[in-house]
Amino acid sequence: MRLAGPYWNSERKWKIRGAVLLLVALTEAQVGLAIWISYWNRELFDVLEARSLSDLWLLIATFVLIFILTMLVTALHLHVKRWLQLDWRRWMTTRLLDQWMAHARHYQLQFTSGEHDNPDGRIAEDIRIATEAAIALALSLLYSLLILGSFVDILLSVSGSLPIPGTALEVPGYLVLLAFFYAGGGTVLGLLLGRPLIKATNRLQTVEANLRFGLARARENSESIALMHGEDIEHRQADQLFADVGRGWNRQTFGYLGIVSFSTGYGTLLPVFPILVAAPQFIAGAMSLGILMQAAQAFQRLTSALSWPIDNLGELAKCRASADRVVSLYNDMLLLEERAASPPEHRIDLRPGRGDELVLRGLSLANPDGRLLLENLDMTIQRGERVLISGDPSLAIGLFKAVAGLWPWGRGEIRLPAGQSIVFLPQRPFLPDGTLQAALSYPHSTGHFSQSKIQHALKCAGVAWLAPRLEESDDWDRVLPLRAQQRLGIARLLLHHPAWVFIEEATDAFDVQGEECMTEVLHRELQGSTVLTISFHSSLESHYTRKLVLDRLCEDKYLTCAPAPAPCSLREP
């Protein structure tokens, strides 16, 4: 309710509520047509019994009208239902995407505990299942309740009373009582037989998502797998994932066996049972053939309505499993949101400062489990400085992630330069699918930079040979070698010309001479910008004004412990 409830009270609530009311009205119309066809059947069998041809033609004309109205109502009902299903799915997908993509939660979720594996599958598939099934089940339940109320009255009026042999007592509306006993017994037994189905369905959806993710991972890393000849391992892993799917499928099959076998027998007996029970009254002349057939049809309608739980058990299990997966992802993202809003002593306090400097005050970095890696780092970096960062690679990269807002685990303060652009250049730049010009302009639109600026950036980065391909579309992170990709990342950096640049080993694919040359280009083209670079090549030291060497703590400490009086985490030659 916390996740889905706001949809029904959103800014478009009147349109949504109007669609819901229209669906209710159309469902009532479907029930009305079912009642009409019940009485039409009664008249048909009475006319056949009376062998009246003139009345038969009138009934045929009436049926044509019922037929046309049924098609119109059903078509309109389907259209409105599918619109509402898509609209609710769109709203919920947007809401979860907003949370998933906000404040780097899509990245931080990888390091937090909880049930949120395959978040992309939960957003793309489980939301679809949950919303579609929920609306379909709600409408079928409403239809069943309306049918129940309507056909109880019909069955009471046509079934009469059943005399108890040897007594003067009669059982009024005995067919209604039999319908309740028939459906009630079937529902209870069906629920008991179908109980294993819910767990089996949940498990199957999880392993199906794991298989999709594993195959997608192999596709995304196909080049590395091919170069290392890892196809056999990937094949075995895919086989193992599919074996999990097979086991989950078999568990679900066993879950279905009992319920399907029972449902088949239950449904086979249903059309015959009321006729056999009411046949003595017909033979005795207490009811006409039309009334007998109407009673049998009303009995079937009533028991079908009462059997709604057993008939929809599989769909209920599927809907519940998908809803649980969506809510689990939503709750874990709420925990990240609560962490971000927690007191500063329990997280890294990241916010804009007042000047044009980067200030780290009492900064400690920790693992998600709370184990401290770096403690009490204090430093100030002024605009225009050139800082080389080395030492422990995980600490150096962790520092960049903390400044970028990707790593909230730790404590202390980070004050960003106020109102100044900051760009982070990772070791392997992200090159989205599409034209090369779009990849260079990312995250801006394609026409954000002029052709002359793009040409100049490509020339400075040493990839002018790619200029004729600016309008081509390709999978650039696959067709280009790593060195060319890193040069494109630098070209994009030069295009954006930020005030602050954080570079994470973005030239490690170059030779020594090429790396020094590219560093000189960066400093020349980004004059006035602050450049902080993670590198472990001593040949670059001469190009920087400061060097920061980060080492891990000498002993295991946790975030809840008091800070060490003399930390051994920082050396600044």
Side-chain angles (χ1 to χ4, degrees):
M1 291 302 295
R2 281 196 304 164
L3 173 61
Y7 169 73
W8 308 99
N9 292 297
S10 62
E11 64 279 0
R12 298 166 53 251
K13 60 184 178 182
W14 295 116
K15 186 175 183 179
I16 296 166
R17 293 175 183 179
V20 172
L21 289 175
L22 180 57
L23 275 176
V24 171
L26 290 170
T27 304
E28 290 177 342
Q30 289 178 324
V31 173
L33 288 167
I35 295 171
W36 192 358
I37 200 70
S38 171
Y39 281 98
W40 182 89
N41 273 315
R42 172 177 171 174
E43 292 179 16
L44 174 65
F45 282 101
D46 285 339
V47 166
L48 292 176
E49 189 177 25
R51 293 179 172 82
S52 174
L53 187 60
S54 59
D55 291 336
L56 180 62
W57 286 112
L58 180 60
L59 284 175
I60 291 174
T62 304
F63 180 78
V64 170
L65 177 60
I66 296 174
F67 180 75
I68 294 173
L69 289 176
T70 300
M71 287 196 301
L72 290 175
V73 170
T74 302
L76 185 56
H77 187 278
L78 178 66
H79 176 73
V80 178
K81 181 184 76 172
R82 288 181 63 84
W83 177 88
L84 188 61
Q85 287 172 326
L86 179 62
D87 192 67
W88 191 14
R89 178 188 176 187
R90 181 189 294 114
W91 180 90
M92 196 175 293
T93 300
T94 301
R95 187 174 186 190
L96 258 72
L97 278 176
D98 288 345
Q99 282 203 312
W100 190 46
M101 288 295 181
H103 309 296
R105 292 193 190 107
H106 58 93
Y107 176 79
Q108 295 169 4
L109 272 175
Q110 303 174 64
F111 304 96
T112 58
S113 59
E115 293 293 330
H116 50 250
D117 57 287
N118 305 318
D120 51 331
R122 294 173 187 245
I123 293 174
E125 184 67 10
D126 286 305
I127 288 180
R128 179 189 67 81
I129 294 172
T131 52
E132 288 182 5
I135 290 176
L137 287 168
L139 288 174
S140 67
L141 178 60
L142 174 64
Y143 180 82
S144 297
L145 291 173
L146 292 173
I147 286 288
L148 178 64
S150 302
F151 280 86
V152 162
D153 183 61
I154 293 175
L155 198 56
L156 281 173
S157 65
V158 299
S159 62
S161 300
L162 179 68
I164 300 177
T167 68
L169 300 177
E170 294 184 343
V171 180
Y174 68 98
L175 284 178
V176 175
L177 294 177
L178 283 176
F180 274 90
F181 280 119
Y182 187 93
T187 298
V188 171
L189 188 56
L191 290 174
L192 292 175
L193 291 172
R195 182 174 294 177
L197 190 60
I198 295 178
K199 288 185 178 180
T201 301
N202 196 358
R203 173 62 181 166
L204 179 59
Q205 288 180 226
T206 299
V207 294
E208 289 276 15
N210 291 340
L211 176 62
R212 290 193 299 269
F213 178 79
L215 295 176
R217 183 191 60 81
R219 174 179 56 81
E220 292 169 358
N221 298 278
S222 59
E223 181 180 348
S224 300
I225 293 170
L227 291 173
M228 298 180 68
H229 304 290
E231 289 86 355
D232 289 342
I233 293 178
E234 294 300 321
H235 194 290
R236 286 197 297 271
Q237 290 179 347
D239 286 343
Q240 181 60 48
L241 289 171
F242 190 81
D244 291 340
V245 172
R247 284 188 288 269
W249 180 271
N250 290 332
R251 287 179 61 184
Q252 190 188 50
T253 299
F254 286 121
Y256 270 122
L257 279 178
I259 190 68
V260 170
S261 300
F262 172 74
S263 298
T264 301
Y266 179 89
T268 302
L269 180 60
L270 180 58
V272 180
F273 182 75
I275 295 178
L276 296 177
V277 171
Q281 284 183 287
F282 171 72
I283 294 173
M287 62 171 59
S288 66
L289 178 62
I291 293 177
L292 173 65
M293 300 310 296
Q294 186 183 28
Q297 186 187 60
F299 186 92
Q300 292 181 54
R301 291 277 191 175
L302 186 56
T303 51
S304 295
L306 291 169
S307 302
W308 182 89
I310 185 175
D311 292 339
N312 292 279
L313 187 61
E315 196 67 16
L316 283 167
K318 190 176 180 180
C319 179
R320 171 63 184 272
S322 290
D324 284 346
R325 286 170 57 80
V326 173
V327 170
S328 177
L329 174 63
Y330 177 71
N331 287 337
D332 287 344
M333 289 193 293
L334 284 183
L335 290 177
L336 287 175
E337 186 176 338
E338 290 172 5
R339 177 188 289 274
S342 62
E345 60 267 21
H346 299 302
R347 60 176 171 83
I348 296 175
D349 185 17
L350 175 69
R351 68 178 72 175
R354 296 181 178 178
D356 58 351
E357 58 188 16
L358 174 66
V359 178
L360 310 178
R361 188 177 299 118
L363 179 64
S364 298
L365 298 179
N367 281 333
D369 62 3
R371 187 167 66 88
L372 284 170
L373 306 174
L374 176 71
E375 190 172 22
N376 288 344
L377 173 60
D378 292 291
M379 64 180 297
T380 300
I381 300 175
Q382 303 292 339
R383 172 72 184 271
E385 284 196 74
R386 304 284 193 265
V387 182
L388 180 66
I389 301 176
S390 63
D392 186 282
S394 60
L395 281 182
I397 295 171
L399 177 62
F400 272 27
K401 290 178 180 178
V403 175
L406 303 184
W407 200 263
W409 296 283
R411 63 186 171 206
E413 299 179 4
I414 299 178
R415 296 293 176 262
L416 301 175
Q420 299 181 20
S421 57
I422 302 176
V423 169
F424 293 82
L425 183 60
Q427 184 179 29
R428 193 181 191 106
F430 174 59
L431 300 175
D433 294 342
T435 65
L436 184 60
Q437 184 172 348
L440 285 168
S441 303
Y442 187 86
H444 298 296
S445 59
T446 304
H448 188 79
F449 300 104
S450 66
Q451 290 291 321
S452 60
K453 286 185 177 181
I454 294 176
Q455 300 276 357
H456 177 72
L458 290 174
K459 182 178 179 182
C460 290
V463 281
W465 54 275
L466 284 173
R469 304 185 63 184
L470 283 173
E471 300 301 325
E472 291 184 23
S473 295
D474 211 331
D475 195 357
W476 301 108
D477 60 352
R478 296 184 185 277
V479 301
L480 296 177
L482 179 58
R483 184 179 300 183
Q485 292 182 45
Q486 289 188 337
R487 289 185 181 274
L488 280 177
I490 292 171
R492 183 163 59 194
L493 178 65
L494 298 178
L495 274 175
H496 288 76
H497 204 286
W500 290 73
V501 182
F502 292 78
I503 302 174
E504 177 200 331
E505 299 182 89
T507 56
D508 66 339
F510 297 16
D511 56 29
V512 175
Q513 184 178 359
E515 192 171 28
E516 290 191 30
C517 178
M518 189 55 62
T519 302
E520 291 177 0
V521 169
L522 281 171
H523 291 174
R524 183 187 71 237
E525 295 293 322
L526 299 176
Q527 291 185 14
S529 299
T530 307
V531 180
L532 296 91
T533 302
I534 295 177
S535 180
F536 306 99
H537 299 164
S538 57
S539 59
L540 296 181
E541 291 185 15
S542 60
H543 298 277
Y544 292 87
T545 57
R546 294 173 73 182
K547 180 181 180 182
L548 190 65
V549 183
L550 300 175
D551 292 332
R552 283 179 179 267
L553 284 173
C554 302
E555 56 182 310
D556 283 346
K557 292 186 177 183
Y558 289 84
L559 203 58
T560 53
C561 300
C568 53
S569 56
L570 172 65
R571 299 197 310 272
E572 189 172 356

